[in-house]
Amino acid sequence: MTSFNIEDHPHRRFNPLTNDWILVSPHRSKRPWQGQVEKPTLQERPTYDPDCYLCAGNERAGGHKNPDYKGTFVFTNDFSALLTDTPEGGTSDSLFQSKSESGICKVICFSENHSLTIPEMEVSDIRKVVDVWCREFEELGSNEMINYVQIFENKGSIMGCSNPHPHGQIWSSSSVPVEPEKESVTQKAYFEKNGRTLLGDYLAAELEKKDRLLVENEYFVALVPYWAVWPFETMIISKRPVQNLLQLTDDERTALADIYKKLTVKYDNLFETSFAYSAGLHQAPTDGKDYPEWHLHMHFYPPLLRSASVKKFMVGYEMLATPQRDITAEQAARRLRELSDIHYKQQ
């Protein structure tokens, strides 16, 4: 009988951050593809688009006009999913529970240059984005109404990004959202049992194994997590177990900008396209309590599977049973690790 090989045979992997399992089916990566093929966006964008509501000097919804900004620009979302004046209320029936939710949603323009994306920006300019994250996290988190601040970026139309101008968002809410809440529970349980952060121990093990490492600098590591669901899913983890952005030193802020660029350059180089993803920071709640178990990290969930035109669909079994992937985390890491650190447009 053939012995089990994790690179060849179906198996499950455990995600200790969420207490979830995923199914890995590496033998399926050999199957032919006859499904949907996306049309990648190939055209070069101008540095300024008069029809873009995020470009400097242009008008947004409701008659709001952007200033003639340079670098970053932040404003309250004109179509916020959360509002500050939501009245308190809800229902307490065990089968029909509801609760009002308040919050503040903001948009961050990364640059006045409409044509850029994070991998094409200079580290010094990405550092300005990190500084905005820190400033907004501090301001929103100090609001008594806000108990969690979710910073994220959607890149690419196939990830629901409605405007190609380089930008991200911040949704801050009165409750802790589902995914960070899961991570709060698991990290606290691990810390109480071991006296160390879950991701600190996980990162130490990954640095020793080196199987899934992609990019490393003095303060951060980018890797493909062992339990990754998306084909080229990655994480950035701080080497020092900080709870939130405000605990980063000046050098660590620059290092975060540096690894953000290096990882996304590899993404673009993989299929020589502007690589789509949803990415976001996970950090401690902002309810005034101390969370020594929390370890700052950033998730990247990209949809592309085989090329710039073939994406992974989370359907069928994934929606009804368990998330599933074909290419193993180790195979994905090898492909990304071997790519150049220089953007393909500059090679």
Side-chain angles (χ1 to χ4, degrees), residues 39 79 102 118 155 248 250 263 306 308:
K39 294 181 179 179
F79 299 96
S102 299
I118 288 291
K155 180 180 175 225
L248 296 178
D250 186 74
L263 174 59
R306 296 185 173 208

Side-chain angles (χ1 to χ4, degrees), residues 298-310:
M298 188 172 184
H299 293 281
F300 288 77
Y301 301 127
L304 295 182
L305 174 62
R306 296 185 173 208
S307 68
S309 58
V310 176

Side-chain angles (χ1 to χ4, degrees), residues 22-38:
I22 71 155
L23 174 65
V24 184
S25 311
H27 59 290
R28 279 168 50 90
S29 62
K30 303 179 179 68
R31 79 190 196 280
W33 180 262
Q34 294 181 320
Q36 179 169 319
V37 175
E38 305 292 333

Side-chain angles (χ1 to χ4, degrees), residues 23-25 28 229 312 314 317-318 322-326:
L23 174 65
V24 184
S25 311
R28 279 168 50 90
V229 173
K312 163 72 174 179
M314 290 291 182
Y317 192 84
E318 289 93 346
T322 299
Q324 182 271 340
R325 63 180 287 140
D326 296 344

